[in-house]
Amino acid sequence: MGITSADPVQQVTVDVTFLRMDRRPGHPAPPLPGGVRVDHALRCSVPFYRYLYDTVGEPWLWWMRRTASDAELAALLAMPAVSIHVLVKDGEPAGFYELDRRHPQVVNLAYFGLMPWAIGTGLGRAFLRHAIDAAWAAGRPAVTVNTCTADHPRALPAYVAAGFQRLRTVREVWPVPTRLGLKIPAHLAQG
């Protein structure tokens, strides 16, 4: 579906920070707690992906993939270089991450987050390390990620603590379609 010129939008100003890790973490990974596992969604369906993306991302204004058509998402999810990994606690999804290995020199941690109910439960650090280790398993020389001022306030410190180095911060103005019905976080500058 995408965005058309006829779509009314809310202009939202965010600062996007790009980060990179050039070597694997040297310390042992923290274990996932009991009753928690990470599943690779080998054939992730569009409805399940939308459920993960929308539920994890709604509080943080994740909007870009919401504008994609089912066909566009299906094509992305069918790419062997893109993988979806689901954090499962006691049988239900607690978060997910998406790895993008389409670039020959890096693996990008395209999306990473917890379900709202799982935030603050102590799952984040071990889950982030799982994502980092899975990214390094692709054998590329670097792992990248970005975060922005719309994300959880602990996202940037968590990435830095995990070993990512800040590359740059860029101010962007996002044209968030109002038809998506997303609540714009009050702390964001609005234009």
Side-chain angles (χ1 to χ4, degrees):
M1 180 180 233
I3 301 174
T4 69
S5 59
D7 274 333
V9 298
Q10 171 72 51
Q11 300 290 328
V12 180
T13 302
V14 296
D15 291 332
V16 181
T17 300
F18 296 86
L19 303 105
R20 180 179 172 108
M21 184 182 290
D22 290 311
R23 67 179 62 91
R24 291 175 184 262
H27 55 282
L32 291 168
V36 176
R37 69 181 191 275
V38 178
D39 290 342
H40 179 189
L42 293 171
R43 289 177 226 36
C44 188
S45 69
V46 169
F48 186 59
Y49 181 83
R50 285 195 189 280
Y51 162 72
L52 293 170
Y53 182 90
D54 293 355
T55 306
V56 169
E58 185 172 9
W60 319 116
L61 198 62
W62 289 10
W63 64 277
M64 293 174 192
R65 293 276 172 86
R66 288 175 180 245
T67 65
S69 69
D70 284 355
E72 290 167 329
L73 285 179
L76 176 81
L77 295 170
M79 292 179 181
V82 174
S83 60
I84 308 302
H85 306 261
V86 183
L87 181 68
V88 179
K89 181 176 185 335
D90 299 327
E92 72 175 295
F96 87 104
Y97 65 84
E98 177 180 327
L99 295 179
D100 183 343
R101 296 175 302 283
R102 290 180 285 179
H103 190 283
Q105 295 301 310
V106 301
V107 175
N108 185 48
L109 178 54
Y111 288 97
F112 175 87
L114 297 173
M115 295 289 180
W117 66 264
I119 294 171
T121 62
L123 296 173
R125 192 169 73 100
F127 186 45
L128 177 56
R129 179 58 185 268
H130 189 283
I132 291 167
D133 290 345
W136 279 109
R140 306 287 163 75
V143 177
T144 58
V145 69
N146 67 65
T147 187
C148 71
T149 49
D151 285 335
H152 193 288
R154 290 194 305 259
L156 180 57
Y159 291 136
V160 171
F164 285 95
Q165 301 295 314
R166 295 180 205 216
L167 297 176
R168 67 189 176 285
T169 299
V170 177
R171 179 151 290 171
E172 294 182 359
V173 178
W174 290 348
V176 181
T178 56
R179 68 177 157 80
L180 298 176
L182 293 172
K183 181 180 175 190
I184 308 298
H187 71 278
L188 293 177
Q190 298 184 24

